[in-house]
Amino acid sequence: AQTVTQSQPEMSVQEAETVTLSCTYDTSESDYYLFWYKQPPSRQMILVIRQEAYKQQNATENRFSVNFQKAAKSFSLKISDSQLGDAAMYFCAYRSQSGGSNYKLTFGKGTLLTVNP
Amino acid sequence: DSGVTQTPKHLITATGQRVTLRCSPRSGDLSVYWYQQSLDQGLQFLIHYYNGEERAKGNILERFSAQQFPDLHSELNLSSLELGDSALYFCASSVEGLAATARYNEQFFGPGTRLTVL
């Protein structure tokens, strides 16, 4: 079974600074997707960014980028120019691409990000 | 707004009771996934339905069951409730297309149902 580990229960960053959230995962599969989800105080789950394992290029979405190291099974999220609205719980998630028709998400425990003005 | 709706938003009930949580997927999405978010267990996959058929079970208790109806809405039934069942229950929907790309398989989450068992 796949596991996802987020070793930082809490992180804080100053507004306009850069912060990196860590995620490692364990899998024996070669084809999969990795995601970062944001959960603000409203509790809504919001997809921030996705990475396809077969792509070597790291995904970027505006101020959000990832550092995907497939051999090391590492998938970190970098938030640049942090804004107050980035304060939230961030979840790293794994999805197998070889699970037949079941594409369940396996989540890490989350990292609570605080943005200080 | 993800397009996925869940009702009710909040539910407070007593131990031993039974409740039903409802999820309406986005228009055109055939898959519904149920997840439970609790303080001690984190976010866990419960069960997956595709076009009315159960496809996979995760860490779902025997006291819990689900269905997906012909109109594709889904219901999660929780019975003999215990204090530990208090959690946020999410459903997520997705299009399971033939193309194996995240664009077609992204899961869109509903706002969740907050269940409190007293």
Side-chain angles (χ1 to χ4, degrees):
Chain A
Q2 295 80 27
T3 58
V4 178
T5 302
Q6 293 179 249
S7 59
Q8 307 153 314
E10 296 185 26
M11 291 282 285
S12 64
V13 64
Q14 290 297 126
E15 197 176 1
E17 297 295 307
T18 295
V19 65
T20 298
L21 308 183
S22 302
C23 172
T24 58
Y25 58 95
D26 188 24
T27 185
S28 59
E29 298 173 333
S30 59
D31 192 8
Y32 51 86
Y33 288 94
L34 295 165
F35 304 87
W36 279 97
Y37 279 86
K38 170 184 177 181
Q39 187 179 42
S42 67
R43 297 296 186 182
Q44 178 71 49
M45 294 292 287
I46 302 165
L47 179 63
V48 174
I49 199 166
R50 71 173 71 89
Q51 175 77 43
E52 295 152 80
Y54 67 85
K55 287 189 177 180
Q56 292 186 338
Q57 186 173 9
N58 289 323
T60 61
E61 287 286 343
N62 301 313
R63 298 181 296 106
F64 298 88
S65 62
V66 299
N67 183 3
F68 173 50
Q69 302 289 328
K70 191 172 184 180
K73 296 179 183 174
S74 170
F75 182 60
S76 60
L77 174 69
K78 185 170 83 170
I79 306 175
S80 304
D81 186 25
S82 296
Q83 301 176 358
L84 295 176
D86 294 333
M89 183 72 86
Y90 285 81
F91 292 97
C92 179
Y94 172 101
R95 195 199 80 193
S96 171
Q97 192 56 18
S98 56
S101 59
N102 178 30
Y103 298 110
K104 68 172 184 180
L105 294 169
T106 300
F107 290 91
K109 294 288 188 183
T111 296
L112 181 62
L113 178 66
T114 303
V115 181
N116 301 309
Chain B
D1 185 356
S2 66
V4 179
T5 60
Q6 289 187 248
T7 56
K9 287 186 178 178
H10 301 279
L11 199 48
I12 301 174
T13 188
T15 54
Q17 297 297 305
R18 173 188 169 94
V19 296
T20 297
L21 313 184
R22 182 188 170 105
C23 169
S24 293
R26 296 186 321 148
S27 177
D29 284 359
L30 300 178
S31 268
V32 170
Y33 295 80
W34 285 96
Y35 295 90
Q36 178 195 58
Q37 185 178 24
S38 62
L39 284 175
D40 54 345
Q41 297 294 327
L43 262 164
Q44 289 195 104
F45 165 70
L46 294 178
I47 197 164
H48 170 212
Y49 273 83
Y50 175 78
N51 202 21
E53 293 185 3
E54 179 187 305
R55 284 298 173 91
K57 280 186 175 180
N59 297 321
I60 187 166
L61 300 171
E62 287 193 8
R63 301 183 285 107
F64 296 2
S65 64
Q67 286 180 275
Q68 187 179 27
F69 294 86
D71 67 351
L72 300 176
H73 91 272
S74 179
E75 293 181 356
L76 180 66
N77 301 296
L78 315 177
S79 61
S80 302
L81 285 168
E82 301 176 0
L83 296 178
D85 298 329
S86 295
L88 186 57
Y89 292 85
F90 286 106
C91 78
S93 75
S94 73
V95 172
E96 311 287 36
L98 293 176
T101 65
R103 178 180 306 130
Y104 297 103
N105 291 317
E106 179 177 339
Q107 292 185 22
F108 293 85
F109 281 77
T113 293
R114 167 75 67 187
L115 173 66
T116 302
V117 183
L118 300 175

